[in-house]
Amino acid sequence: MALQETVNSGQVSLDPVTGEELRKMLVEQMDLVDSWLERAGRLARPAPLGANPVGDRMAHKFEARADGDPRSFVAVMTAYREVLQQTHDSVQSAIRNFIAIDEEHGSEFVRLSAN
């Protein structure tokens, strides 16, 4: 992920107050996605369309759309959840970068003011 790479390199930093607001929004969104995924698990079961070839095919089709297919709701939401988590982790790292830079500048200021 490009964001994580630039954060890890120290090129990106984020004010802790702003970063915390962003982090909270990301956590809220991840919680929402988690609830969607939990409910989607209930959809990923054969629909009671009757014991006949057409009913069986339709039940399988609906089940695959909920889960089991790379384009299913569960697959797409799981990928989205992973991106949210990666972004959350990048925000945390960017906040740490900001704090480290701030502490470094503070130390340098103290050193210079002592001279």
Side-chain angles (χ1 to χ4, degrees):
M1 173 180 222
L3 177 60
Q4 187 64 41
E5 290 172 9
T6 57
V7 169
N8 288 343
S9 72
Q11 297 176 29
V12 175
S13 64
L14 190 59
D15 172 79
V17 174
T18 303
E20 186 60 25
E21 289 177 28
L22 181 56
R23 193 196 65 74
K24 285 179 184 177
M25 288 188 306
L26 290 164
V27 168
E28 289 172 7
Q29 189 65 35
M30 286 187 291
D31 290 344
L32 185 58
V33 171
D34 288 342
S35 72
W36 293 340
L37 287 169
E38 182 182 326
R39 285 185 273 160
R42 289 179 258 156
L43 294 174
R45 60 178 178 211
L49 297 174
N52 60 66
V54 173
D56 291 342
R57 282 194 301 272
M58 291 301 292
H60 177 69
K61 179 180 177 181
F62 293 140
E63 184 178 6
R65 284 193 177 163
D67 193 8
D69 181 272
R71 296 171 294 163
S72 71
F73 179 81
V74 170
V76 170
M77 285 298 109
T78 298
Y80 177 55
R81 174 65 165 77
E82 290 171 8
V83 170
L84 289 170
Q85 184 65 55
Q86 291 169 353
T87 304
H88 176 272
D89 295 346
S90 293
V91 167
Q92 290 284 83
S93 296
I95 291 170
R96 284 192 296 272
N97 288 349
F98 183 94
I99 292 169
I101 291 168
D102 191 48
E103 289 172 354
E104 182 180 313
H105 288 171
S107 296
E108 184 67 17
F109 181 73
V110 169
R111 185 185 70 75
L112 292 173
S113 64
N115 290 329

